[in-house]
Amino acid sequence: MADSQPLHLLIVSGGRDLPDRARDASAGLRTTVICRPEVVPRLRSREKIQRLIVLREDAPEDEWVAAARFVHAVDPVDRLTNFTEKDTEKTAAIGAALGLTWHSTETVRAVADKAEMRRRLASAGLGDVVAEVVHDVEGVLKVGERTGYPLICKPVRGVASKGVTRIDGPADIERALAWGATGAGDLDSPELMVEPFLTGEEYSVEAVSEDGEHLVVGVTRKISEPVHFVEVGHVVPAPLPTEDAERIGAAVRTALEALGVRQGVTHTEVIVAPETVHIVETHLRPAGDEIPELWARTTGVDLIEVVARQAVGRKVLDDVRAALGAPGDRPGAAAIWYACPDAVGEIVEVTGTDEARALNGVVDVEVLREPGKRLKGVTGSFARGAHVCAVGATQEEALLRAREGVRKISFTVRSSGMAERHEILAEHSG
């Protein structure tokens, strides 16, 4: 490629505003998108895309690679990325076929398949948690006999807390398998996994990797409801003693090394017991739930911007490290809390958002399920109704402000022909 020729970035799937951010990071950036039909309506700035290739939902991996080879033949591709959690194995296969830098096929497989991830982590000395792929009640019973109860049942390739259930004994197994199958229905694999229920405090770790070096940006406190483990709140930075934060960070760095991660922003979920840091799962993407925005407000590190810059080949680690070490007039903490209406029916009206925005410290209020949408109870992350973000001098102050904002919001839901108002209680305080 001539020095004057702008970069050509091949994007698999969509990425919301990330393609536009990548264009801002690389003057004249040219982009090609290969995606499924479902992604097309969500593509932003379509007029800026040089070419768009849409493959049917069930197109095999070889077809995705062939499409990328065609693009590369007519307009050589310089960089490859996938800003989402969909079709990552196809992206890795394209990278291997075209000789483009991205996560390896082995890394993507290990991260996507939770059972394989467990094997990789165990070989690196990170725990010996029994994790078995199960297909029926008998399979779960065998795990229960080996490890005892409670257990956790989840889709092997699950996202957004979909299909996750605690099993306290044999009587819960059929219900858990049915719930897991529902959660895995639109994922790349229908398989379910069972492992012992781990006890301890829940956190996530946001990190940036560059050329195999892993820098922890921070540890996020996670608050979940107790039945299906839907996340209802997050606080940054997590209120932790320095030594605990350091051992959590060390465990995550070891996990990323064991999984072969060399580049990118990662989001790793952990459960911390007095003697052990259990790695629950990791993701080759930034956190959801506005967590990157919380960290940007408290540290000045914009993790979404980091992703965009790395996509076009920019080095980022020195800038991230400098931002973390720079003094700034920023709030000491930030938090998000979710409105989780435990109702089933059609949303008729959502009120109280203006009152929530008017509260001291509240910086963002967003309705996630608008009138006309249906609620199905607290079934997964996509069932949450609204969120409130707030900042404060301390973690406690930020969290209290976010929860108070959620208390202002109420949903009117029509169920069985009758409209009922559901006020949101700030439960699950953790």
Side-chain angles (χ1 to χ4, degrees):
M1 184 190 74
D3 291 341
S4 59
Q5 176 79 347
L7 282 174
H8 181 194
L9 174 66
L10 174 57
I11 302 170
V12 177
S13 199
R16 299 187 180 182
D17 66 333
L18 271 163
D20 282 331
R21 289 202 187 207
R23 292 184 189 97
D24 290 341
S26 180
L29 181 71
R30 296 174 297 121
T31 57
T32 293
V33 175
I34 303 178
C35 67
R36 305 180 188 214
E38 67 181 34
V39 173
V40 176
R42 301 196 296 272
L43 290 175
R44 302 183 185 181
S45 303
R46 272 182 266 181
E47 73 283 358
K48 298 178 181 178
I49 299 171
Q50 267 62 42
R51 61 186 61 80
L52 170 62
I53 299 176
V54 182
L55 301 178
R56 67 185 188 279
E57 195 73 24
D58 61 347
E61 185 177 283
D62 288 349
E63 191 169 328
W64 289 73
V65 173
R69 286 188 187 278
F70 163 75
V71 172
H72 194 53
V74 299
D75 186 3
V77 175
D78 302 300
R79 304 285 305 178
L80 170 70
T81 195
N82 183 334
F83 293 128
T84 75
E85 211 159 32
K86 284 274 194 179
D87 299 314
T88 52
E89 285 174 295
K90 292 159 186 154
T91 311
I94 289 170
L98 272 57
L100 297 171
T101 301
W102 202 63
H103 301 293
S104 71
T105 54
E106 293 79 10
T107 293
V108 169
R109 189 177 302 117
V111 170
D113 186 324
K114 294 180 176 60
E116 173 62 21
M117 182 195 71
R118 287 276 174 267
R119 289 188 284 271
R120 291 281 194 100
L121 296 181
S123 68
L126 282 174
D128 54 357
V129 176
V130 174
E132 296 288 344
V133 175
V134 296
H135 302 94
D136 50 30
V137 172
E138 186 64 28
V140 182
L141 285 171
K142 289 180 179 178
V143 177
E145 289 170 1
R146 288 173 58 194
T147 68
Y149 296 91
L151 303 170
I152 283 289
C153 179
K154 65 177 79 171
V156 166
R157 301 192 174 213
V159 295
S161 304
K162 294 171 66 175
V164 181
T165 303
R166 171 172 165 156
I167 300 174
D168 287 314
D172 296 332
I173 294 176
E174 288 191 8
R175 173 181 57 86
L177 291 176
W179 186 258
T182 299
D186 62 350
L187 302 176
D188 290 336
S189 170
E191 290 188 318
L192 302 177
M193 184 181 79
V194 169
E195 61 185 358
F197 176 75
L198 302 173
T199 59
E201 296 295 324
E202 295 182 79
Y203 302 95
S204 70
V205 180
E206 325 313 326
V208 178
S209 299
E210 184 175 279
D211 299 328
E213 182 180 355
H214 311 294
L215 175 63
V216 171
V217 171
V219 180
T220 304
R221 180 191 176 197
K222 181 171 74 170
I223 306 166
S224 302
E225 60 85 29
V227 178
H228 296 300
F229 308 97
V230 176
E231 295 167 9
V232 296
H234 303 280
V235 184
V236 306
L240 282 167
T242 301
E243 58 270 24
D244 285 349
E246 288 177 349
R247 72 185 180 103
I248 292 170
V252 168
R253 286 191 293 271
T254 300
L256 295 177
E257 188 71 28
L259 295 170
V261 176
R262 294 192 54 78
Q263 298 283 131
V265 174
T266 53
H267 170 66
T268 304
E269 297 174 18
V270 303
I271 293 177
V272 180
E275 303 298 328
T276 309
V277 177
H278 299 286
I279 306 294
V280 177
E281 59 190 25
T282 195
H283 305 270
L284 303 173
R285 56 157 176 82
D289 290 2
E290 306 300 318
I291 290 172
E293 174 64 19
L294 302 183
W295 281 107
R297 290 184 180 277
T298 54
T299 67
V301 175
D302 186 338
L303 290 167
I304 306 302
E305 188 68 22
V306 168
V307 171
R309 291 176 61 199
Q310 285 194 318
V312 296
R314 300 286 188 265
K315 297 293 186 182
V316 298
L317 215 53
D318 287 347
D319 289 344
V320 172
R321 190 177 284 112
L324 291 174
D329 185 19
R330 301 188 185 95
I336 186 170
W337 196 257
Y338 282 91
C340 297
D342 192 13
V344 177
E346 180 185 348
I347 299 172
V348 177
E349 184 182 30
V350 183
T351 59
T353 55
D354 289 341
E355 290 85 347
R357 290 188 181 95
L359 293 175
N360 187 34
V362 168
V363 294
D364 182 49
V365 177
E366 184 175 353
V367 175
L368 306 173
R369 306 289 290 175
E370 297 179 341
K373 299 289 186 180
R374 290 192 61 81
L375 293 175
K376 299 179 182 179
V378 185
T379 56
S381 297
F382 297 120
R384 298 174 298 195
H387 74 235
V388 175
C389 294
V391 297
T394 65
Q395 291 96 335
E396 181 180 15
E397 183 177 63
L399 182 59
L400 287 173
R401 287 172 170 179
R403 293 177 65 195
E404 182 60 29
V406 165
R407 285 194 187 96
K408 299 292 184 182
I409 301 172
S410 47
F411 289 75
T412 301
V413 179
R414 182 182 291 112
S415 177
S416 303
M418 181 180 297
E420 298 179 350
R421 184 179 180 189
H422 291 259
E423 295 185 351
I424 308 302
L425 301 178
E427 68 278 30
H428 316 307
S429 59

